[in-house]
Amino acid sequence: AQSVSQHNHHVILSEAASLELGCNYSYGGTVNLFWYVQYPGQHLQLLLKYFSGDPLVKGIKGFEAEFIKSKFSFNLRKPSVQWSDTAEYFCAVMRNRDDKIIFGKGTRLHILP
Amino acid sequence: GAGVSQSPSNKVTEKGKDVELRCDPISGHTALYWYRQSLGQGLEFLIYFQGNSAPDKSGLPSDRFSAERTGGSVSTLTIQRTQQEDSAVYLCASSLVSLAGSSYNEQFFGPGTRLTVL
C-alpha cells in the first residue's frame, strides 16, 4: 500500500498566487517528514524537514510546511509563488520502525509568468 | 568532497542484457539508498544500506535486481536480463545517518543514471 499520498499531480498557478500542496501518509507511528524539490534538469534537493519540535517548519525560498499529526498530513505552503518555483515537488516520510524513507509520486508545479 | 556521483549518466542496452549502475556516496555517509524514477510514478524505493546492517531489499521489483555496497562506500545496482519496463532513471542518495528522530537525515541525491532498454 502507498504510504505517502500527494493528491495533486499537476498544479498550474500564476505568479504571486498562494500555493498549498497536499501530503498525507498512512503510517501511525513516529515519523520524520520531508519535502524535496527537483528543478528542471537538476538533482533532487531538500526543501525542508520535520523531525521533532515545532510542527511548523520553515525551509528555503520562502516555503513552509505544517505537520498535523491528527490528520497525518504535512502540507507544503508558500504565500506568493514565483516563476522560478516551477519544479516537481516530492513529499517523503521516514518511519521509525525501519528508518526507511518513502516518497510520494510527486506534484508537478508550473508557474505562469 | 563533492556530492553523490553516479555512472554512467546514460545507458542504452538491449533487452536481455545485464547492466551495472554505480553510485559513489558522499564520504562518511553511512546510509545509501537506490530509487527508480519513472514518469508519473515518483520515486520508487528499491534498496537501502545502513552501516554494517543487512540491507533492506524490500523494494526490489524482482530477483533480476540486486545491489551491493563494498566497504561501506561505493554501491553497485545490477539488473540482469533487462526488460523494457526497466527503462527509468535510477537515483542514488546518501545521508550521514538514517535514523528516525535525527536531524541529520537529509538525503543528498546523485544526478541519476538514465537506463533505456531497447
Side-chain angles (χ1 to χ4, degrees):
Chain A
Q2 177 64 276
S3 297
V4 183
S5 298
Q6 292 183 241
H7 318 295
N8 314 104
H9 300 297
H10 198 182
V11 173
I12 301 174
L13 295 172
S14 298
E15 275 194 310
S18 65
L19 170 72
E20 182 161 2
L21 301 182
C23 174
N24 286 88
Y25 60 94
S26 56
Y27 179 57
T30 301
V31 294
N32 289 178
L33 300 159
F34 308 81
W35 276 96
Y36 281 83
V37 61
Q38 188 171 31
Y39 297 103
Q42 296 188 24
H43 304 184
L44 276 152
Q45 58 184 280
L46 183 70
L47 205 52
L48 48 77
K49 64 183 178 185
Y50 168 82
F51 58 96
S52 67
D54 189 346
L56 183 61
V57 180
K58 295 196 182 296
I60 60 172
K61 303 186 180 185
F63 286 90
E64 65 178 31
E66 185 174 12
F67 171 43
I68 303 180
K69 191 174 181 179
S70 61
K71 295 185 178 180
F72 300 91
S73 71
F74 190 56
N75 291 356
L76 181 70
R77 300 192 294 248
K78 185 170 182 178
S80 177
V81 294
Q82 300 173 309
W83 178 79
S84 58
D85 293 325
T86 294
E88 189 160 15
Y89 293 80
F90 294 91
C91 180
V93 175
M94 172 184 275
R95 311 179 298 197
N96 77 333
R97 74 173 186 214
D98 55 16
D99 299 327
K100 185 164 66 183
I101 298 180
I102 303 296
F103 282 78
K105 291 193 174 184
T107 297
R108 288 185 179 271
L109 175 65
H110 187 71
I111 305 300
L112 302 174
Chain B
V4 177
S5 60
Q6 293 185 245
S7 60
S9 55
N10 279 286
K11 177 71 177 179
V12 180
T13 190
E14 294 178 345
K15 179 181 172 181
K17 300 283 189 184
D18 298 350
V19 295
E20 283 191 353
L21 311 180
R22 178 187 167 105
C23 172
D24 283 86
I26 293 173
S27 177
H29 280 195
T30 63
L32 187 148
Y33 290 74
W34 282 98
Y35 295 92
R36 180 166 69 176
Q37 186 174 23
S38 306
L39 193 63
Q41 296 300 313
L43 271 72
E44 177 187 3
F45 167 79
L46 297 178
I47 186 170
Y48 131 71
F49 299 87
Q50 167 72 309
N52 295 320
S53 303
D56 181 334
K57 303 179 182 181
S58 59
L60 294 178
S62 77
D63 59 7
R64 296 187 294 105
F65 288 73
S66 62
E68 61 178 26
R69 188 179 185 190
T70 54
S73 181
V74 172
S75 178
T76 303
L77 177 69
T78 301
I79 309 173
Q80 295 179 311
R81 305 181 302 283
T82 52
Q83 303 295 312
Q84 288 182 332
E85 60 262 29
D86 298 335
S87 296
V89 176
Y90 289 82
L91 292 170
C92 175
S94 71
S95 65
L96 190 59
V97 298
S98 187
L99 183 65
S102 170
S103 63
Y104 296 103
N105 283 327
E106 178 180 355
Q107 288 182 314
F108 293 82
F109 281 83
T113 293
R114 182 176 296 279
L115 175 65
T116 303
V117 182
L118 302 176

